[in-house]
Amino acid sequence: MISLQSVNLGYSNIPILKNLTLHVGKGEFLGVIGLSGAGKSTLLMSIIGNIRVLQGNYQVFGYDLSSISKRELRLLRSQIGFIFQGYNLVNRLSVLHNVMCGMLKDLPMGRSLIKLYSGEELEKAHEYMQIVGIEQLAMKRCDELSGGQRQRVAIARALAQEPKVLLADEPVAALDPKSAVQVMDVLRKVNETYGVTIISNLHHLDFAREYCDRIVGVASGSISYDGSTHALQGST
Ligand code: ADP
Ligand code: ADP
């Protein structure tokens, strides 16, 4: 699904990450670890075509990121869900409304206010709210929720896109330990239920070890480790 061969990535023309070779297949749950500033976010953002490919071959869903058209890039992005540390919800709207926003593939946000949803779409939204455990909060405004609840809304919204890949940038960094565990449990459930590939930046190695089946370490501008969680446990 995602394949990098000797790739350099950077802002303007200065490479931040060099000589990356990485292949990610369907259904994997990948944890990306590394110190702050190592380039984890850069790596994640590059998958949605937000970072310049300075060198090498970078393919996502068969699209070559060095030569992708604007239309193809839109298509690619519509198949990738993104979860941020700061949730990025529309706070004054209800949980349900935020989840439904995920179904609007190409429409600008404002259109969601007047769009009517089908019964089937509503049913799907309820399925996603249920899987992340926020169904009872459907009618609450997002600004009435705790951080952990907000992050679960964000995951339900991403699911409403029916993504092939879910990218999470430090999804639990802002949460208390109990909420963090809940959110990680939800990510695992999503991975197992829908077979969605998940790539998550995590600064807690413990979470990566417990939840991911593969760990990629980023250090000194490159990939310093890539192996199964099992192998990592064996080596320490
Ligand atoms: P991490 O997610 O591991 O903390 P980042 O990918 O955010 O690391 O940052 C990697 C490096 O890229 C850092 O040195 C940072 O200063 C640099 N960087 C991040 N964003 C930009 C940008 N928009 N322009 C130039 N350099 C950037
Ligand atoms: P299909 O045979 O239609 O591909 P799947 O078994 O893949 O069916 O999925 C069944 C239902 O689960 C789909 O209709 C879809 O709504 C939901 N689903 C599948 N994959 C995802 C996903 N990645 N994110 C959210 N929902 C999904």
Side-chain angles (χ1 to χ4, degrees):
M1 293 191 114
I2 299 170
S3 165
L4 291 77
Q5 194 68 51
S6 312
V7 165
N8 287 2
L9 296 171
Y11 300 93
S12 58
N13 283 321
I14 303 151
I16 296 276
L17 289 170
K18 289 183 211 155
N19 201 24
L20 305 178
T21 293
L22 180 70
H23 304 280
V24 183
K26 182 168 163 45
E28 288 196 75
F29 192 164
L30 214 81
V32 180
I33 58 167
L35 298 175
S36 174
K40 303 183 296 297
S41 298
T42 303
L43 179 59
L44 219 58
M45 296 299 277
S46 73
I47 298 170
I48 53 169
N50 268 1
I51 307 290
R52 193 174 301 185
V53 179
L54 303 173
Q55 208 175 297
N57 187 284
Y58 200 144
Q59 309 250 346
V60 180
F61 309 148
Y63 295 115
D64 182 341
L65 288 193
S66 301
S67 59
I68 193 166
S69 71
K70 279 198 171 147
R71 194 188 67 83
E72 289 170 334
L73 195 57
R74 258 209 322 276
L75 217 69
L76 178 144
R77 287 176 179 160
S78 72
Q79 299 175 73
I80 298 180
F82 217 109
I83 313 283
F84 305 89
Q85 182 178 331
Y87 326 122
N88 285 33
L89 301 171
V90 186
N91 282 324
R92 65 196 160 73
L93 296 182
S94 70
V95 166
L96 176 63
H97 205 141
N98 271 275
V99 174
M100 300 302 274
C101 283
M103 292 177 189
L104 301 163
K105 293 210 161 61
D106 269 343
L107 292 177
M109 211 55 154
R111 284 284 292 279
S112 69
L113 296 170
I114 51 167
K115 187 178 185 293
L116 294 174
Y117 295 96
S118 68
E120 197 186 332
E121 285 173 315
L122 267 170
E123 225 169 84
K124 277 279 152 201
H126 279 280
E127 175 186 328
Y128 300 136
M129 289 191 292
Q130 198 173 15
I131 218 159
V132 305
I134 51 159
E135 220 192 349
Q136 73 289 359
L137 303 172
M139 292 306 158
K140 281 227 190 252
R141 276 168 57 133
C142 287
D143 50 15
E144 296 174 64
L145 307 182
S146 72
Q149 290 168 336
R150 286 180 205 209
Q151 194 57 295
R152 287 183 282 144
V153 176
I155 295 170
R157 179 185 56 185
L159 282 178
Q161 262 179 273
E162 301 199 5
K164 288 187 187 162
V165 174
L166 203 58
L167 304 175
D169 197 359
E170 302 282 2
V172 298
L175 303 178
D176 62 86
K178 189 165 162 246
S179 305
V181 164
Q182 277 178 343
V183 166
M184 291 307 297
D185 282 341
V186 163
L187 287 177
R188 175 152 60 194
K189 197 159 148 197
V190 162
N191 174 252
E192 286 170 357
T193 307
Y194 298 113
V196 190
T197 306
I198 301 184
I199 304 178
S200 180
N201 290 348
L202 291 166
H203 68 237
H204 278 296
L205 181 58
D206 288 350
F207 275 142
R209 276 187 168 147
E210 172 153 8
Y211 288 94
C212 302
D213 39 53
R214 179 173 162 201
I215 292 179
V216 166
V218 179
S220 313
S222 194
I223 290 176
S224 55
Y225 178 86
D226 182 358
S228 71
T229 311
H230 188 69
L232 187 72
Q233 270 151 352
S235 72
T236 53

